Amino acid sequence: MAVDAKYSRSPIWHQRIAITSLSVMLFATLLSPLHASEPEATALDQQRSRFLHAKKALEHGDRQQFFKTAATLKEYPLYPYLTYWQLLDNLGEQNSASITAFLEQHRDTPLATPLRVAWLKQLARKQRWQEYLNFYHGSNRSELRCYALRAQLHSGDKAAAWAGAEKLWLVGYSQNEACDPLFAAWAKAGGITDALRWRRTELAMERGNSALASYLVQPLDKQQQQWVELWKQVHRDPERIRNEKALRQDNARNRTLVLHGLIRIARRDAVAAAELWSSLAKRYNFSAAQRYRLQKSVAMNFAFDGDARALHWFSLLPGNRLTSTTAGWAVRTALRRGDWRNTLRWIGKLPSRKRLSDQWRYWQARAYEALDQKFEANAIYQDLSHSRTYYGFLAADRTGAEYNLDNTPLNISDEAVDALANKPALVRAHELFRLKLTREARREWDYAVAKMNKQQRLIAGKLADDWQWHDRALLTLARANHFDDLDIRFPLAHSETIEREASKHGLDPEWIYAVARQESAFIEDVRSSAGAMGLMQLMPGTGRTIARKLKTKLNLDELLKPETNIRFGSYYLQQVLSRFDSNPVLATAAYNAGPHHVEAWKPKQGKLDADIWIDTMPFYETRKYVRRVMAYTVFYDQRLQRPITRLRDRMPQVSTEREVIGCDNCTAKQGGKG
């Protein structure tokens, strides 16, 4: 890694790995110049080597070797990690005193919380409830909350235990198994009434969790069980609401079930739901809240399809119930249809805070321009063009103005950076980073940054950049709400690999950079919740497919190696670009959401301006993704000292193309419409 090379600044730079608690001898070593004698120059390296040796010994169960080696490292900045790992390794042999001692000594480190959590689980397993309450400081984790309520119950505080149990009970999903004994005790005490059981059943069915609903109604009477069974059938086959005899009577439960079916139909066929509603709305006395839910669902699903009928359904919603989401989709529907008057009308219904955002001001200007109100349009365009954003660039394109690409590097003294670098937390973060223990390094860094003020975060961002720790540098500046140092925000990481792959596949290197920047912020070992891996967030299936096409073997862990990930990611970018006739907008969207979604989102006939198409895609994540990638290409043009390609030249119109099958690298959250 670049961080292991000689520092680009003065020889005294390596002071930053010092820590107050180091011995005088070690501290002198850290202050020595890089050309110091061999014993002095390698003292810290020897400690690093022994640290890794101790870690490996513990992992292999060689406690004797671990303790022998660890005893030589008490002055090393990462010694607390050895103690922490050793405590976790034999947690069952610990007592509260040893855990308390560590927590008190290291309460200002990211090690304290995970050790406390592990110890709480250990105490719960052994049912040492009073000790549990002594260590419990509150938590958002249902498992720990349930243990705490069980501890309160054992201490005799039934009122608190039952009150907490009710809050945990009334959810539409299964709680952690640690809650089962609590719920059982509450039920035995008569706390879980039929009404509470039924309410949770409704919550479960609203989430589509039919398995939980079936479990919950087991103690209820046969009629209620039959009703839930019918609800499950309607969930699977919502068309049953048309002719089901058991649903003909107008009562509260039937209205709930029929509404559930209608909303399910609307999600796949808004036209059918709208037609069915016209008859069912007369048969059932739906509440105002139920009517709102149905009308909103039909309106939104018409809008996702780009159907102009959405505007009628949005107009049925009470004015005081309009949100930025519903009004925003009314605007998108009008945009998709080229209905500029309704575009303006619905922008006017947006909440004022949203209405004044760059996004909606841009579309207001586009509407004014289309309606030949050029003065009003140009006034907005000129103001927006000063913004260094996607919409600012689009606005500049409408008037021919230059892009605002002002770059203001951070002006921070070496003394300020050195002072922050010597803080114990950042010394530990740097050591972990040097040892390639990147997950631990990120936790240490993020824990420290969370406690910093804005100025300290700016200094920290500069420090991380000096270490060439690109992801922490740019994310730390973002946490400081500072976006003017474009060199840090858009690093030229892995430049040789990216330039080589761009040349090999005939791609713009700035596009590869932009995708990697958006996908991972250059976090090399990142894994998404969907399973995507590495800098360019490749799905394992995609990696295997590309490996076959490249006739190379692939161990999936290799996708976490930057060179392999960029090589495979660039290959896939070239594939989707080719499949979408060299349209980078469609290819970028396909990289995120999958080609089959992009095919479905294209206009059924004719063409759409790319800016309209991007902002009317159904998936919020993909809209944001494409906007950012397009804007980032501009910044990377500047960073690479290439002529700036304007977005109007990078975003051709979108038209119907040949059908594209498959979803090789779908990383957008499925069902993420909004």
Side-chain angles (χ1 to χ4, degrees):
M1 294 178 65
V3 72
D4 291 324
K6 288 187 177 181
Y7 296 115
S8 59
R9 292 174 54 183
S10 63
I12 202 155
W13 166 244
H14 62 298
Q15 291 181 46
R16 294 183 181 171
I17 57 177
I19 186 169
T20 305
S21 63
L22 291 176
S23 66
V24 174
M25 181 276 292
L26 178 57
F27 200 88
T29 300
L30 296 176
L31 292 175
S32 64
L34 289 175
H35 58 267
S37 64
E38 185 66 19
E40 290 178 318
T42 61
L44 189 57
D45 288 331
Q46 290 173 0
Q47 287 190 314
R48 290 169 179 151
S49 178
R50 290 200 300 274
F51 174 82
L52 293 176
H53 183 68
K55 181 176 182 292
K56 186 174 182 179
L58 186 63
E59 291 169 349
H60 286 81
D62 189 348
R63 290 192 182 185
Q64 183 178 0
Q65 185 62 51
F66 169 80
F67 284 114
K68 180 181 177 180
T69 308
T72 70
L73 293 167
K74 292 183 178 180
E75 301 300 325
Y76 181 53
L78 297 184
Y79 180 74
Y81 279 82
L82 295 177
T83 306
Y84 168 73
W85 290 329
Q86 186 269 328
L87 288 172
L88 288 180
D89 185 61
N90 64 341
L91 198 60
E93 302 173 20
Q94 302 302 320
N95 55 44
S96 289
S98 62
I99 301 298
T100 298
F102 185 91
L103 294 178
E104 288 182 352
Q105 185 177 0
H106 303 292
R107 60 181 177 272
D108 290 329
T109 73
L111 303 177
T113 295
L115 180 62
R116 185 185 301 278
V117 169
W119 184 240
L120 285 170
K121 292 180 180 181
Q122 179 73 12
L123 292 173
R125 282 193 291 269
K126 295 187 176 183
Q127 298 190 20
R128 290 155 59 178
W129 297 117
Q130 188 53 53
E131 288 180 85
Y132 187 96
L133 291 175
N134 293 339
F135 277 88
Y136 182 70
H137 291 168
S139 176
N140 291 326
R141 304 185 190 193
S142 62
E143 179 183 12
L144 298 186
R145 290 169 63 195
C146 283
Y147 285 142
L149 293 170
R150 288 167 61 184
Q152 287 180 314
L153 182 60
H154 280 80
S155 71
D157 192 353
K158 293 184 179 181
W162 301 154
E166 183 171 347
K167 291 180 181 179
L168 289 164
W169 174 264
L170 287 174
V171 295
Y173 50 86
S174 297
Q175 290 285 21
N176 187 278
E177 62 183 11
C179 299
D180 293 345
L182 174 69
F183 291 152
W186 187 35
K188 187 176 181 180
I192 302 181
T193 64
D194 286 356
L196 280 173
R197 190 174 293 277
W198 187 257
R199 178 60 186 134
R200 191 178 183 197
T201 300
E202 290 181 320
L203 292 171
M205 286 304 301
E206 287 171 5
R207 289 175 64 96
N209 193 341
S210 58
L212 176 59
S214 296
Y215 168 77
L216 290 169
V217 298
Q218 288 177 8
L220 299 180
D221 62 45
K222 185 176 181 180
Q223 183 180 11
Q224 290 172 311
Q225 292 180 26
Q226 290 175 340
W227 200 81
V228 169
E229 184 59 34
L230 178 57
W231 196 346
K232 289 164 57 179
Q233 293 172 8
V234 168
H235 183 80
R236 291 191 295 268
D237 179 17
E239 293 291 336
R240 288 182 66 111
I241 66 174
R242 293 179 181 271
N243 302 306
E244 178 60 51
K245 293 181 180 179
L247 295 175
R248 289 179 180 175
Q249 184 179 355
D250 180 17
N251 58 48
R253 289 189 175 179
N254 280 356
R255 287 193 291 272
T256 298
L257 197 149
V258 169
L259 180 67
H260 185 92
L262 277 166
I263 291 174
R264 295 279 292 173
I265 292 171
R267 288 176 181 173
R268 63 190 187 195
D269 189 344
V271 175
E275 292 175 350
L276 187 54
W277 172 251
S278 64
S279 61
L280 294 181
K282 300 172 184 176
R283 185 189 305 176
Y284 298 95
N285 186 26
F286 291 107
S287 68
Q290 289 173 320
R291 289 176 178 272
Y292 171 79
R293 284 186 60 200
L294 184 282
Q295 290 164 351
K296 177 184 174 182
S297 179
V298 172
M300 292 292 286
N301 283 282
F302 269 134
F304 295 151
D305 293 337
D307 193 312
R309 282 170 285 192
L311 296 178
H312 164 72
W313 283 85
F314 281 124
S315 69
L316 298 177
L317 301 180
N320 62 351
R321 298 293 298 273
L322 282 175
T323 65
S324 58
T325 299
T326 51
W329 271 104
V331 176
R332 292 186 182 95
T333 302
L335 285 174
R336 188 93 176 189
R337 311 304 298 181
D339 185 346
W340 295 106
R341 294 196 183 280
N342 264 317
T343 296
L344 281 178
R345 185 169 79 88
W346 282 99
I347 288 175
K349 293 179 181 293
L350 285 162
S352 58
R353 181 177 58 86
K354 288 286 186 180
R355 190 167 62 246
L356 296 176
S357 69
D358 284 3
Q359 176 185 17
W360 299 119
R361 291 182 67 219
Y362 171 77
W363 289 116
Q364 184 179 34
R366 285 276 269 127
Y368 282 140
E369 181 183 10
L371 295 171
D372 206 30
Q373 295 176 243
K374 299 189 181 301
F375 177 82
E376 292 86 348
N378 286 333
I380 297 175
Y381 285 146
Q382 289 171 12
D383 186 49
L384 278 180
S385 65
H386 298 298
S387 177
R388 199 173 47 214
T389 64
Y390 169 78
Y391 291 106
F393 297 155
L394 291 182
D397 282 345
R398 306 302 294 189
T399 62
E402 293 296 317
Y403 287 174
N404 173 13
L405 292 173
D406 292 343
N407 178 26
T408 308
L410 286 171
N411 183 19
I412 296 173
S413 69
D414 289 353
E415 292 76 14
V417 178
D418 289 337
L420 191 68
N422 281 304
K423 298 291 184 183
L426 297 189
V427 171
R428 291 192 299 270
H430 191 208
E431 282 297 291
L432 291 163
F433 181 57
R434 286 287 300 264
L435 295 174
K436 295 183 172 60
L437 298 173
T438 50
R439 274 180 276 185
E440 290 87 349
R442 283 197 296 270
R443 282 196 294 267
E444 191 77 62
W445 179 275
D446 293 346
Y447 188 87
V449 168
K451 297 183 177 183
M452 294 179 182
N453 59 35
K454 179 174 182 176
Q455 183 59 27
Q456 290 171 323
R457 288 175 180 174
L458 294 178
I459 299 170
K462 182 66 170 67
L463 175 63
D465 185 62
D466 285 341
W467 292 347
Q468 298 185 47
W469 197 0
H470 300 299
D471 56 278
R472 292 309 97 180
L474 65 91
L475 292 172
T476 300
L477 290 192
R479 291 198 67 172
N481 200 32
H482 182 86
F483 304 101
D484 293 334
D485 191 323
L486 301 184
D487 293 345
I488 293 179
R489 283 186 64 202
F490 301 98
L492 297 176
H494 311 291
S495 57
E496 290 185 10
T497 303
I498 289 176
E499 291 283 355
R500 182 187 68 236
E501 296 303 318
S503 177
K504 182 192 302 183
H505 297 296
L507 302 175
D508 292 337
E510 63 270 21
W511 188 35
I512 300 176
Y513 271 116
V515 169
R517 170 65 168 78
Q518 173 58 25
E519 286 285 357
S520 66
F522 294 103
I523 303 174
E524 296 174 5
D525 61 341
V526 66
R527 296 174 187 258
S528 76
S529 59
M533 303 171 68
L535 287 172
M536 299 186 72
Q537 287 290 274
L538 290 167
M539 296 295 285
T542 304
R544 294 189 187 98
T545 299
I546 294 173
R548 286 195 296 271
K549 291 180 178 179
L550 295 177
K551 298 180 180 179
T552 185
K553 294 181 179 179
L554 176 71
N555 180 322
L556 282 181
D557 286 342
E558 292 180 50
L559 289 179
L560 298 177
K561 296 179 180 179
E563 182 158 340
T564 300
N565 195 281
I566 293 169
R567 182 160 64 97
F568 279 38
S570 299
Y571 179 91
Y572 185 68
L573 277 177
Q574 190 277 328
Q575 294 294 298
V576 290
L577 187 66
S578 176
R579 291 172 76 170
F580 286 100
D581 290 347
S582 298
N583 187 320
V585 170
L586 295 175
T588 301
Y591 193 93
N592 176 256
H596 71 296
H597 280 129
V598 172
E599 182 66 32
W601 297 340
K602 289 184 299 180
K604 301 298 186 290
Q605 57 185 6
K607 296 182 178 182
L608 271 181
D609 290 345
D611 57 351
I612 294 176
W613 185 81
I614 290 170
D615 268 24
T616 58
M617 286 187 290
F619 287 4
Y620 166 78
E621 179 185 333
T622 307
R623 295 197 301 274
K624 180 177 68 174
Y625 181 95
V626 176
R627 288 193 296 250
R628 287 184 175 179
V629 169
M630 290 297 106
Y632 290 172
T633 61
V634 174
F635 294 116
Y636 274 109
D637 270 339
Q638 182 188 51
R639 292 286 283 122
L640 293 167
Q641 300 181 358
R642 293 162 60 96
I644 303 298
T645 299
R646 299 184 74 99
L647 293 191
R648 68 185 176 211
D649 299 323
R650 201 181 288 276
M651 293 168 49
Q653 287 185 313
V654 175
S655 60
T656 302
E657 299 173 357
R658 64 186 182 278
E659 184 179 2
V660 179
I661 305 298
C663 181
D664 293 338
N665 199 55
C666 276
T667 59
K669 295 176 182 176
Q670 301 305 304
K673 294 179 180 178

